[in-house]
């Protein structure tokens, strides 16, 4: 048997060699795409590289840059680059993409049995998280000699011919197009979305220590909406852009400023930087733009000689968003140190090669999504909306929004209940899962742990569903909120231990849900904290209805990384109107978490000083506190300027009830409610009092004038009042009796509505007008009581309505309206006093025929009078004097 073993091994070796030769022959015969090359299109993980098909079953990726994926990441084959196609795809090569690749050139082999016709799209894909790193499309019909038909889409906007490392976190890439007198430049920096990237050519005649003056630079970055921009700038001075009173500009300003202000013609003709492409991926900003080598703008642009070494300058720093003075995102001072935040070097565009940049930029903070921290007793509103900047491509067209932010990173604390108000639609039930993809992992033959939610956790804005989840000590550090039916609609939940919610008893979201306000009350002081929910250079909160005439508290981080908290009084809209105060603030702290400012302080409820403006800043826990906020890019101690202007601010204050922990937004005055107030003034300030005055003081007039006036005025006032109530109920969508104004208004409405019924049930008088029946006396007392009570309640409701208007809507005209109403009421009281005096005088003089008689009832009124029907007057009644009689005198006989 022993001699047979070598023979068997030889046979096996021959079979393997034959199989290998057969496979190689098959690769050699399948040469349709041999020589085809295309750039990888980046989706995430900073993927760059150029794919070249070597033969029927292998390909090379040159200059491959990639941040490490998980162990399941592979080269993937699919019919397309969308989520459904990739989900149906399969691995294309065996090698994992679970490490960082740094400008490497590698050959990969397709899995056995695969050929290029089965690979319409070659992608770098992680099926575990359904994450697309990048892809390249392969043409279906091409040959090694005629691939021109497919090369139109083979160039990716992130790929360039050359690259230079400006600093550890900033690079410039470029591709020369000398035949077209143009250069494409790509700026790439591992910075936050609130930073700018600046790069350009110095004036060839500039001094070595003044390379900025006369420099032609491009400033690129991203707007607050996440859109890229690139603008042509010219430097006249080493300072931020300043617009002088005479209309000229100086500093680091857009060319269009100079062109428009200095009268050089069309402003757009001097802006020779053209945006090509831009994105934010993995915490890295990338913007590609083009510019001419020799620009027609000789005044503000520097001519670039591609074959010559020229001095270039660069900087990175914070952006100042557009404001009322400028529609541009302007660069702020880049700060220090040199070589990190700014610098200059000699650069020859023709000499530098791509090897100047090794590997992908790796940002410390890779999360660009909005951040939301869940707070106790503050519901998170979950809706659905279009996918604009989803963090983990590919994604469906519709994703989840929380508090109006697209797929934010949600931060929760163990032991703190999280409440979701689900309003995303009946087809989007929310659930908390361990699966990064969601959409029912069982259908994908994948296991998952569901922590909260089910198919019943769905709702719409009209009927939201509340989902409460309590993270505990066994909850992993990272879980996901997702839709139960559709994959990749949600994003990550970061589960942490402790936080501001544990240190403060109360918290509310301020207007627009961009700032969270925390507080804890004590006997004579209040502990306050504020946390921004977006990146900024400073965060300010103010006590008042608007920033003007408010007490403000500002937290910021200086250039050295030190946090500050200061108090201010603001009496205007410019930097000179912000006055630093010296409030007794203790336990001051300020820090930045992922670019968002958080500051804390403690202050007394009542001040102990006098004579200074801050001495009036008293917090009364029983009175609602109006709180506003603002954010901006830069703050500093001392004198402020336009560079400290806020970039975003609250639209309205929020009224916070410090003792109860509740809050409500101070809304703008709704037009319908203004109509309600006007109609109530017409009813209670004019018509109804006029009807009462007519009934009491016009009975001495002949005929039934008093009755007609009384009836028409009362019914008109009642109708206007009823319509005013309907307007308010319709606008507020129902009745609410929480306010004092509403309660008093109900009293006035009830007593007024009783009067027509009261008049209809009026008992008739006895034939002897001097004697009143018991029912008549009761009726007249009731009539007087209900009428006068209604009048007093109605007028009171007018004043409480104005007071409610001031508290709820912060109307600036509330004092003037109140004074006007007081003058109106006082005038009415004086008129009534005069009429009462004249009535008493007529009685005293007997002019009204009463001869000083006075009874409870209307002695001037016949019993036949019906308050609802004036035609029931007794025709025998003399309207001038019901007590008079006709006497016929006859002569005596004899």
């Amino acid at each position: 048997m022993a001699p047979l073993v070598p023979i068997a091994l030889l046979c096996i070796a021959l079979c393997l060699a034959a199989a290998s030769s057969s496979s190689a022959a098959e690769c050699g015969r399948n040469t349709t795409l041999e020589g085809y090359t295309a750039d990888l299109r980046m989706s995430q993980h900073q993927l760059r590289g150029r794919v070249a098909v070597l033969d029927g079953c292998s390909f090379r990726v040159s200059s491959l840059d990639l941040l490490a994926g998980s162990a399941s990441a592979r080269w993937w084959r699919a019919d397309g680059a969308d989520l459904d196609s990739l989900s149906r795809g399969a691995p294309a090569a065996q090698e994992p993409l679970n490490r960082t690749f740094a400008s490497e050139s590698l050959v990969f082999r397709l899995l056995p049995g695969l050929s290029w016709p089965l690979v319409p799209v070659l992608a770098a894909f992680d099926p575990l998280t359904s994450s697309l790193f990048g892809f390249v499309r392969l043409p279906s019909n091409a040959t090694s000699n005629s691939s021109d038909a497919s090369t139109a889409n083979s160039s990716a906007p992130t790929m360039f011919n050359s690259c230079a490392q400006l600093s550890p976190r900033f690079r410039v890439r470029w591709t020369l197009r000398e035949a077209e007198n143009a250069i494409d430049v790509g700026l790439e920096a591992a910075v936050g979305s609130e930073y700018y990237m600046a790069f350009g050519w110095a004036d060839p005649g500039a001094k070595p220590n003044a390379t900025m003056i006369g420099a032609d630079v491009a400033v690129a970055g991203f707007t607050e909406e996440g859109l890229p921009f690139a603008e042509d700038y010219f430097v006249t001075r080493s300072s931020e852009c300043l617009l002088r009173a005479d209309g000229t500009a100086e500093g680091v300003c857009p060319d269009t400023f100079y062109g428009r202000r200095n009268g050089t013609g069309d402003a757009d003709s001097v802006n020779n930087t053209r945006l090509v492409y831009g994105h934010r991926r993995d915490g890295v900003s990338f913007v590609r733009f083009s510019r001419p080598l020799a620009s027609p703008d000789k005044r503000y642009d520097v001519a670039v000689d591609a074959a010559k070494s020229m001095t270039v300058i660069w900087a990175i720093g914070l952006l100042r968003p557009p404001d009322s003075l400028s529609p541009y995102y302007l660069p702020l001072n880049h700060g220090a140190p040199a070589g990190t935040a700014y610098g200059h070097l000699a650069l020859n565009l023709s000499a530098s090669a791509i090897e100047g940049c090794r590997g992908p930029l790796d940002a410390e903070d890779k999360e660009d999504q909005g951040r939301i921290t869940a707070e106790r007793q503050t519901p998170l509103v979950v809706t659905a909306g279009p996918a604009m900047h989803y963090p983990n491509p590919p994604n469906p067209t519709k994703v989840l929004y929380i508090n109006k932010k697209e797929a934010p990173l949600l931060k929760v604390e163990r032991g703190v209940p999280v409440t979701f108000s689900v309003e995303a639609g009946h087809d989007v039930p929310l659930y908390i899962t361990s699966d990064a993809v969601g959409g029912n992992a069982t259908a994908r033959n994948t296991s998952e742990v569901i922590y909260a939610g089910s198919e019943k956790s769905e709702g719409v804005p009209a009927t939201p569903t509340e989902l409460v989840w309590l993270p505990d000590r066994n909850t992993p550090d990272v879980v996901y909120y997702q839709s139960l039916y559709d994959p990749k609609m949600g994003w990550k939940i970061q589960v942490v231990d402790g936080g501001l919610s544990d240190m403060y008893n109360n918290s509310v979201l301020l207007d627009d849900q961009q700032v969270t306000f925390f507080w804890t009350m004590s006997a004579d002081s209040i502990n306050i904290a504020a946390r921004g929910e977006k990146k900024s250079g400073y965060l300010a909160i103010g006590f008042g209805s608007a920033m003007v005439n408010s007490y403000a508290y500002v937290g910021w981080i200086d250039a050295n990384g030190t946090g500050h908290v200061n108090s201010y009084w603001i009496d205007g809209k410019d930097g000179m109107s912000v006055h630093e105060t010296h409030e007794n603030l203790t336990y001051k702290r300020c820090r930045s978490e992922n670019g968002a400012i958080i500051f804390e302080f403690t202050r007394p409820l009542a001040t102990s000083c006098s004579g200074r403006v801050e001495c009036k800043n008293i917090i009364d826990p029983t009175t609602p506190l109006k709180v506003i906020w603002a954010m901006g890019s830069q703050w500093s101690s001392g004198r402020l300027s336009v560079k400290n202007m806020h970039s975003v601010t609250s639209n309205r204050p929020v009224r916070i009830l410090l003792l109860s922990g509740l809050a409500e937004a101070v809304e703008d005055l709704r037009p319908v409610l203004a109509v309600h107030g006007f109609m109530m003034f017409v009813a209670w300030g004019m018509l109804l009092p006029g009807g009462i005055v007519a009934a009491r003081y016009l009975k001495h007039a002949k005929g039934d004038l008093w009755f007609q006036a009384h009836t028409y005025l009362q019914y008109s006032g009642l109708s206007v009042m009823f319509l005013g109530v309907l307007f308010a109920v319709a606008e507020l969508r129902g009745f609410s009796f929480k306010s004092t104004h509403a309660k008093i208004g109900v009293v006035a409405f009830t007593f007024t509505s009783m009067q027509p019924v009261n008049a209809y049930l009026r008992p008739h008088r006895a034939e002897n007008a001097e004697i009143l029946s018991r029912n008549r006396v009761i009726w007249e007392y009731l009539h007087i009581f209900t009428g006068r009570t209604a009048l007093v309640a109605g007028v009171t409701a007018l004043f409480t309505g104005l007071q409610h208007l001031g508290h709820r809507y912060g109307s600036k005209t509330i004092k003037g309206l109140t004074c006007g109403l007081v003058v109106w009421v006082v005038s009415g009281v004086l008129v009534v006093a005069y009429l009462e005096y004249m009535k008493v005088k007529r009685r005293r003089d007997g002019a009204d025929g009463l001869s000083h008689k006075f009874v409870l009832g209307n002695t001037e009124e016949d019993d036949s009078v019906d308050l609802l029907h004036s035609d029931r007057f007794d025709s025998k009644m003399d309207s001038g004097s019901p007590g008079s009689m006709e006497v016929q005198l006859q002569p005596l006989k004899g």
Side-chain angles (χ1 to χ4, degrees), residues 225 369 383-391 395-402 404-408 424 488-489:
E225 293 75 27
Q369 292 303 101
T383 56
M388 305 296 292
H389 305 286
Y390 189 75
N395 51 269
T397 58
K398 184 173 70 172
V399 297
L400 293 177
Y401 282 64
I402 297 182
K404 303 179 181 179
K405 292 184 177 181
E406 179 188 357
K488 298 189 73 173
M489 288 190 68

Side-chain angles (χ1 to χ4, degrees), residues 130-184:
S130 190
S131 300
L132 176 64
F133 302 160
F135 66 95
V136 61
R137 296 184 185 276
L138 301 176
S140 57
N141 294 310
T143 65
S144 59
N145 298 322
S146 61
S147 60
D148 294 340
S150 59
T151 57
N153 296 322
S154 63
S155 179
T158 55
M159 296 294 292
F160 295 84
N161 294 337
S162 303
C163 179
Q165 188 88 23
L166 302 177
S167 79
R169 55 176 180 166
F170 189 21
R171 293 173 176 174
V172 58
R173 301 175 183 266
W174 69 92
T175 295
L176 278 173
R177 293 186 286 122
E178 292 188 79
E180 303 172 40
N181 185 39
I183 179 175
D184 284 354

